[in-house]
Amino acid sequence: MSSDPYGARLETAIAAARRGADELIQRRTSHTVSEKAPKDLVTDADLASQQAIRQTLTEAFPGDAFVGEENGENDPPESVRRGDADAPPCWIVDPLDGTVNYVHGLPGYAVSIGLFAEGQLQLGVILDPGSGELFTARRGQGAHLNGQSIKTSDCGELSEALLVCSFATRVAKDSQEVKSFVNMLGRCRAIRRLGSCALNLCYVAAGRLDGYWASCVKSWDAAAGLIIAEEAGADVTRIDGTELSVWDPQFNVAAGAGLRQQMSDVLVAED
């Protein structure tokens, strides 16, 4: 392996994201929609995007593992999950994050590609086909938007923070997710629910949002965005403040450690 095994992978991931985005754009007004489960939508665009992304990545790096939201490719090899020294690099892909927005003709959907290797996330690429915004990051090299360095906001007080959250597809009115939302609503400046985990994390990275929590997303929703946010300076933990695993991404992400702790205090508080 070369001394820089991830530079070529980053460029390939960008190319793969553009191929996936092209599939989404081509089907923007002519896609077919079905339900994987009640309220959990999938389109032929999701499937075509993942096929294009997978082909690009695996042709360039045939020894790498692949995890994608569609086509039953949801589980990483156990060696990857454990972070074994001999585990292959593993791509973690959401070919269309924000499917409901896409189906309804709303902005706020993206292609998301992360790479997990050597026991941690190594790079992330998120492309918003509607705006053309390309967010990228490599471990130890910062985060970028269309090639320009980005960083989180300097917000340190929960009362001044603009936050975003995600709910489960079939959230119940008496669920902890709803209780946490109501508790947080009374403590922060405002809360948004935008519909794309990947873009939410990018917006925290770019300083547009100050914090984001989610207990209902999957590794493919979050992987690329988590490293982009971390490389932009965000404090990234589990909701309770403990160490986060990308394979169980119940996370709390904020512009800094102080704000993240204030969010955690609210999220884990007893009613």
Side-chain angles (χ1 to χ4, degrees):
M1 184 175 289
S2 72
S3 59
D4 181 15
Y6 305 120
R9 282 182 171 85
L10 178 61
E11 294 305 314
T12 300
I14 292 171
R18 294 196 186 282
R19 282 195 63 192
D22 286 345
E23 296 291 343
L24 301 181
I25 293 168
Q26 290 174 22
R27 291 168 172 78
R28 189 70 184 85
T29 59
S30 61
H31 51 265
T32 59
V33 184
S34 58
E35 286 190 331
K36 293 184 283 187
K39 297 186 179 180
D40 189 5
L41 304 183
V42 64
T43 74
D44 59 336
D46 297 69
L47 302 174
S49 177
Q50 181 160 308
Q51 182 179 10
I53 292 166
R54 194 186 201 289
Q55 181 182 37
T56 302
L57 297 175
T58 56
E59 283 183 356
F61 302 101
D64 290 1
F66 183 91
V67 170
E69 180 176 9
E70 311 303 341
N71 295 327
E73 297 186 290
N74 305 147
D75 295 319
E78 279 302 314
S79 62
V80 170
R81 187 185 292 271
R82 291 192 304 263
D84 291 356
D86 60 349
C90 182
W91 297 102
I92 309 175
V93 172
D94 192 338
L96 173 50
D97 186 60
T99 300
V100 173
N101 287 351
Y102 179 82
V103 167
H104 285 268
L106 289 172
Y109 61 92
V111 175
S112 177
I113 303 174
L115 182 72
F116 185 88
E118 301 181 72
Q120 59 186 344
L121 290 166
Q122 297 292 346
L123 64 84
V125 172
I126 293 174
L127 176 60
D128 179 341
S131 68
E133 290 190 326
L134 175 68
F135 297 87
T136 60
R138 280 186 61 189
R139 181 161 297 282
Q141 297 191 16
H144 298 84
L145 167 55
N146 292 339
Q148 300 299 310
S149 180
I150 54 174
K151 64 183 183 67
T152 56
S153 75
D154 60 1
C155 180
E157 294 297 328
L158 185 56
S159 62
E160 299 174 358
L162 176 59
L163 307 180
V164 66
C165 70
S166 292
F167 290 162
T169 303
R170 298 181 298 281
V171 65
K173 65 181 181 180
D174 59 349
S175 69
Q176 185 57 50
E177 289 171 277
V178 173
K179 293 175 183 176
S180 294
F181 175 85
V182 173
N183 289 342
M184 191 69 79
L185 191 61
R187 298 288 301 278
C188 68
R189 175 167 288 166
I191 302 176
R192 303 290 182 256
R193 184 176 177 230
L194 302 178
S196 168
C197 173
L199 290 178
N200 289 343
L201 287 163
C202 288
Y203 295 163
V204 174
R208 300 171 184 173
L209 297 167
D210 302 308
Y212 174 31
W213 83 92
S215 59
C216 58
V217 300
K218 304 296 185 181
S219 58
W220 46 84
D221 300 311
L226 286 171
I227 189 168
I228 290 169
E230 184 177 353
E231 286 294 315
D235 197 60
V236 177
T237 71
R238 287 181 61 83
I239 286 174
D240 62 3
T242 57
E243 185 176 358
L244 178 69
S245 167
V246 69
W247 305 114
D248 182 23
Q250 300 185 40
F251 60 76
N252 186 7
V253 175
L259 178 60
R260 201 275 311 151
Q261 184 61 59
Q262 293 171 64
M263 291 173 62
S264 288
D265 289 344
V266 173
L267 293 171
V268 302
E270 297 291 336
D271 293 329

